Amino acid sequence: GDSVTQMEGPVTLSEEAFLTINCTYTATGYPSLFWYVQYPGEGLQLLLKATKADDKGSNKGFEATYRKETTSFHLEKGSVQVSDSAVYFCALIPGNRDDKIIFGKGTRLHILP
Amino acid sequence: DSGVTQTPKHLITATGQRVTLRCSPRSGDLSVYWYQQSLDQGLQFLIQYYNGEERAKGNILERFSAQQFPDLHSELNLSSLELGDSALYFCASSLQGATDTQYFGPGTRLTVL
């Protein structure tokens, strides 16, 4: 079945470091891909999305490119800040008109000042 | 503030009991989604309603049920509660379907003793 696998955390980085959080997926058809962020004590917020192959989603300095050939949607940021500390979830919606959203297990990111 | 409200914020109850969680979507959004977040299961999609009708079903137990009312608010009913039902329950809303941006509420933390 459809699934999302993302790197296990926690990930600890120093401020201004380069960030990559890996995400790979398994899906039939052509899914839409998402990254959500959950700050401490809050609900999830959509960070970025891509709906077709080679699309790049970007927001707040974060980027992710929909790679169909490697079934990946890795999240990157060139220079992280302490305020980026949160849990990041990769997710997909299958491309078969099924509205179920499938989340990865989440990656906790901790940025040190 | 996402515009999605959930009540109550916290709920403590005993095994075997029944509780109702309430969600008011953002103004204009027709779809409402329910999610369960726990440490062992991660974030699980439970169910989606669109304009009063059930649209998609995820890993929702038979002891759980939901509905969306004509004013578009939604309720999630959890019955015969077990210790393992202790979790954070999120509601989200979107304009139409799941590929539209979902806006999450702050969640209801349920503790079953």
Side-chain angles (χ1 to χ4, degrees):
Chain A
D2 301 318
S3 66
V4 175
T5 302
Q6 60 182 107
M7 60 190 289
E8 289 191 21
V11 173
T12 302
L13 295 172
S14 297
E15 204 166 21
E16 299 183 3
F18 184 86
L19 168 71
T20 301
I21 300 178
N22 290 336
C23 170
T24 56
Y25 66 90
T26 302
T28 53
Y30 301 94
S32 296
L33 302 174
F34 305 81
W35 276 101
Y36 279 84
V37 58
Q38 185 177 26
Y39 297 103
E42 297 183 14
L44 277 71
Q45 300 174 27
L46 178 66
L47 183 58
L48 52 84
K49 68 178 181 181
T51 56
K52 60 183 189 297
D54 299 324
D55 267 2
K56 178 187 279 189
S58 61
N59 186 25
K60 298 182 182 179
F62 291 89
E63 292 183 341
T65 302
Y66 188 144
R67 302 277 187 209
K68 189 169 182 298
E69 63 277 11
T70 54
T71 61
S72 65
F73 193 54
H74 303 321
L75 182 68
E76 297 182 335
K77 186 174 185 183
S79 176
V80 291
Q81 306 300 312
V82 172
S83 57
D84 294 326
S85 298
V87 181
Y88 292 81
F89 293 89
C90 185
L92 71 81
I93 294 175
N96 56 357
R97 297 184 178 276
D98 186 340
D99 266 1
K100 295 178 200 177
I101 186 166
I102 298 164
F103 285 93
K105 290 191 179 298
T107 301
R108 183 174 297 278
L109 175 65
H110 185 51
I111 306 300
L112 301 173
Chain B
D1 183 2
S2 66
V4 177
T5 59
Q6 288 186 249
T7 56
K9 195 166 183 175
H10 300 278
L11 201 48
I12 301 174
T13 189
T15 54
Q17 295 298 305
R18 172 189 168 97
V19 296
T20 297
L21 312 184
R22 182 188 167 100
C23 169
S24 292
R26 284 189 335 147
S27 176
D29 284 357
L30 297 177
S31 275
V32 169
Y33 312 79
W34 286 98
Y35 297 90
Q36 180 194 59
Q37 186 176 36
S38 61
L39 281 175
D40 52 345
Q41 297 286 331
L43 189 60
Q44 300 280 324
F45 165 69
L46 296 178
I47 198 163
Q48 177 201 0
Y49 278 81
Y50 173 77
N51 205 20
E53 303 272 335
E54 182 185 306
R55 174 169 272 192
K57 215 166 187 176
N59 301 322
I60 188 165
L61 300 172
E62 284 193 14
R63 299 183 286 107
F64 296 0
S65 65
Q67 54 184 326
Q68 186 179 27
F69 295 87
D71 67 353
L72 301 177
H73 91 270
S74 178
E75 292 181 356
L76 178 67
N77 299 296
L78 315 176
S79 61
S80 303
L81 285 167
E82 302 175 359
L83 295 177
D85 297 327
S86 296
L88 201 48
Y89 291 84
F90 286 108
C91 167
S93 71
S94 72
L95 195 59
Q96 301 271 343
T99 51
D100 295 324
T101 299
Q102 292 189 35
Y103 295 87
F104 281 72
T108 292
R109 182 168 294 282
L110 174 66
T111 302
V112 182
L113 300 174

